[in-house]
Amino acid sequence: MDIQFNAEELAFQQEVRQFFADAWDEELRAQLHGAEASPNLKAASEEWQRRLNAKGWMAPGWPVEYGGIGWSVTQHFIFNSERGKVGAPAPIPFGVTMVAPVIYTFGTEQQKARFLPRILASEDWWCQGYSEPGAGSDLASLQCKAELDGEEYVVNGSKIWTSFAQAADWIFCLVRTDNSGRKQEGISFLLIDMKTPGVTVRPIETIDGIHHLNEVFFDAVRVPVENRIGEEGKGWTYAKSLLVHERLSIAEVAESKRNLEDLREYARAEVNGGRPLLEDPLFAKRFTDIEIDLMALEYTELRVLAAAADGGDPGPESSLLKLQGTDIQQAIQELRMDVAGYYSGTLQGELSASELGHEFADGAQKLHFRGRASTIYGGSSEVQKNITAKFVLGL
Ligand SMILES: Cc1cc2nc3c(=O)[nH]c(=O)nc-3n(C[C@H](O)[C@H](O)[C@H](O)COP(=O)(O)OP(=O)(O)OC[C@H]3O[C@@H](n4cnc5c(N)ncnc54)[C@H](O)[C@@H]3O)c2cc1C
């Protein structure tokens, strides 16, 4: 693969750099740093996404007719590399990366016209109603039920681990419309307005102390048939296509590169036993192992994206990227916490690590705890290994 940039690509890189220099300003940076803790997360993310959208860069991967840009793989690579370098977040994925591809691939013209522009403009926030108490890895066992009553479905049941349901306007939901055949059959894909009577959200506390997870309950919730994607009973097909997009977005190569660079800078400045930490053989070995893995992941991602650009959607290879990407994220978080040591914790009393002169350590432990979930959400690592073994390696 040739990754030497030509003159046009170098000009594009300049344009991207200029955009981030102008649009990713100090104020937004402060609001979205350690974002999930911020009470302003929604407003600040919307503002950031509006700036992306104003430039036409909210959904570069969508087909051009719906608001995408038709960038080459190299342009995507340049955009994401520059985004990673300045630490700017990708848009919140549930709308733009997850449900939108399902809507433009399988939805009606009316659904496309109704939902896609609102996703681009960040007017609707979405959440994902897949998992249930008895259906996580074995997602097809889901039991949240939808019964047809005239022109409406009546939905009863619950979802769990629903990220940001507390802030969402809409939920895309897998529901069971038929119990008679194989469990993968009889699942339908519904778009449900969170304001519909009978929808209740209950928070779940997590080890990082941040409220992002919820249970969502449906008590005789009436959903118009026009909010069903595709055919009744064929939701499993649409659900799997969404998971491919979800897993690609979880690999987060640009973010990991940035986090590793931060770690390198810190280790260069931090003196340990009379020399920079970066020269400590134990540290250097851990750091270099991660760096090599990340480089390999980046090339694998580019290969997958290049293949997809030639022949349509990425396939089960997204499982491989998710698996390796989240292992690397956790390795970086763990190394950062180990290096930050005492200051990464919450034990130092009322002063934050920054106030004690250790800005690098701020939130390291919280991030480490939060990061434990990345090998679970979007499908656990064991499940990604099963998919890779079966569909990529053909075992
Ligand atoms: C932070 C976070 C955010 C999430 N956000 C959302 C969300 O927004 N929407 C949503 O719908 N869901 C969400 N989830 C749920 C997530 O998708 C599930 O937790 C995940 O699919 C695993 O399901 P489970 O928790 O039921 O675990 P289980 O399926 O019970 O798995 C338990 C363990 O068994 C292993 N295991 C299970 N089956 C197999 C197998 N066949 N082979 C080998 N090992 C196996 C798993 O790897 C795991 O280690 C989120 C989860 C987390 C942690």
Side-chain angles (χ1 to χ4, degrees):
M1 177 181 297
D2 180 11
I3 54 165
Q4 297 293 319
F5 299 151
N6 61 30
E8 216 172 290
E9 287 158 351
L10 286 171
F12 175 70
Q13 186 181 43
Q14 263 323 106
E15 186 187 355
V16 174
R17 282 185 181 160
Q18 193 56 52
F19 168 75
F20 283 117
D22 296 338
W24 180 237
D25 58 30
E26 275 308 316
E27 198 182 332
L28 267 185
R29 209 180 288 244
Q31 286 177 7
L32 286 170
H33 178 74
E36 284 147 280
S38 164
N40 277 336
L41 170 67
K42 188 171 180 181
S45 300
E46 278 169 357
E47 175 55 30
W48 170 229
Q49 292 178 189
R50 269 195 286 271
R51 291 180 195 185
L52 282 168
N53 196 36
K55 177 75 178 163
W57 289 355
M58 174 66 180
W62 288 14
V64 175
E65 66 223 87
Y66 303 122
I69 312 174
W71 278 348
S72 66
V73 173
T74 311
Q75 284 175 304
H76 280 285
F77 171 76
I78 291 172
F79 178 77
N80 277 321
S81 300
E82 298 302 324
R83 184 177 65 71
K85 276 184 203 159
V86 298
I92 303 285
F94 300 101
V96 73
T97 317
M98 288 161 69
V99 76
V102 170
I103 293 174
Y104 64 63
T105 309
F106 304 106
T108 61
E109 290 309 314
Q110 195 195 11
Q111 287 167 339
K112 292 176 201 176
R114 178 177 177 193
F115 293 110
L116 295 178
R118 294 184 62 83
I119 291 175
L120 280 178
S122 302
E123 284 166 352
D124 289 334
W125 262 47
W126 287 83
C127 64
Q128 177 185 32
Y130 273 30
S131 306
E132 295 179 12
S137 304
D138 184 14
L139 184 58
S141 294
L142 63 96
Q143 289 302 329
C144 185
K145 201 157 107 184
E147 286 172 300
L148 204 51
D149 179 22
E151 281 304 294
E152 291 175 325
Y153 286 103
V154 181
V155 180
N156 281 290
S158 68
K159 296 288 170 181
I160 195 166
W161 316 123
T162 320
S163 301
F164 301 113
Q166 78 272 23
D169 304 297
W170 286 82
I171 181 167
F172 53 89
C173 236
L174 296 180
V175 292
R176 183 154 298 285
T177 38
D178 183 5
N179 244 328
S180 59
R182 284 173 64 233
K183 61 186 177 182
Q184 287 82 1
E185 291 157 10
I187 292 174
S188 298
F189 194 113
L190 292 186
L191 311 178
I192 305 179
D193 186 337
M194 291 292 280
K195 290 185 295 301
T196 319
V199 178
T200 337
V201 176
R202 188 194 292 164
I204 299 175
E205 237 181 290
T206 45
I207 194 171
D208 57 10
I210 298 167
H211 176 201
H212 41 87
L213 291 183
N214 303 275
E215 287 176 277
V216 181
F217 298 91
F218 301 92
D219 183 12
V221 173
R222 302 191 78 87
V223 182
V225 171
E226 68 194 34
N227 287 12
R228 189 190 68 223
I229 294 281
E231 285 179 59
E232 183 178 288
K234 297 282 183 247
W236 188 244
T237 305
Y238 319 137
K240 281 192 299 183
S241 125
L242 184 146
L243 285 172
V244 166
H245 289 277
E246 178 178 5
R247 286 166 186 161
L248 269 184
S249 74
I250 294 175
E252 293 189 1
V253 172
E255 283 77 2
S256 286
K257 280 176 80 174
R258 152 97 185 190
N259 292 337
L260 203 60
E261 278 316 304
D262 282 353
L263 197 49
R264 191 201 308 274
E265 284 311 307
Y266 179 79
R268 193 174 275 138
E270 182 74 5
V271 175
N272 184 37
R275 61 183 170 187
L277 179 60
L278 199 55
E279 291 171 21
D280 176 282
L282 289 178
F283 175 86
K285 163 90 171 74
R286 280 177 75 184
F287 186 92
T288 313
D289 282 348
I290 298 173
E291 198 172 25
I292 292 168
D293 285 345
L294 185 53
M295 209 181 284
L297 175 68
E298 186 170 27
Y299 279 94
T300 309
E301 184 178 67
L302 283 172
R303 271 205 315 274
V304 170
L305 293 178
D310 290 343
D313 270 353
E317 293 81 6
S318 66
S319 289
L320 200 60
L321 299 176
K322 198 253 168 190
L323 180 65
Q324 185 69 355
T326 51
D327 276 353
I328 290 170
Q329 287 159 31
Q330 290 184 347
I332 296 172
Q333 286 154 357
E334 199 172 319
L335 186 55
R336 179 176 165 200
M337 193 176 70
D338 288 351
V339 167
Y342 171 83
Y343 293 104
S344 71
T346 49
L347 301 176
Q348 67 265 28
E350 289 180 2
L351 292 177
S352 71
S354 294
E355 287 163 321
L356 290 165
H358 295 265
E359 195 177 335
F360 172 80
D362 238 355
Q365 192 183 69
K366 192 178 256 193
L367 204 68
H368 168 72
F369 285 146
R370 165 93 178 96
R372 305 309 300 159
S374 65
T375 45
I376 302 172
Y377 58 68
S380 70
S381 288
E382 290 75 15
V383 167
Q384 304 318 308
K385 284 179 186 166
N386 287 346
I387 294 172
T388 305
K390 197 165 167 188
F391 298 107
V392 181
L393 302 175
L395 299 175

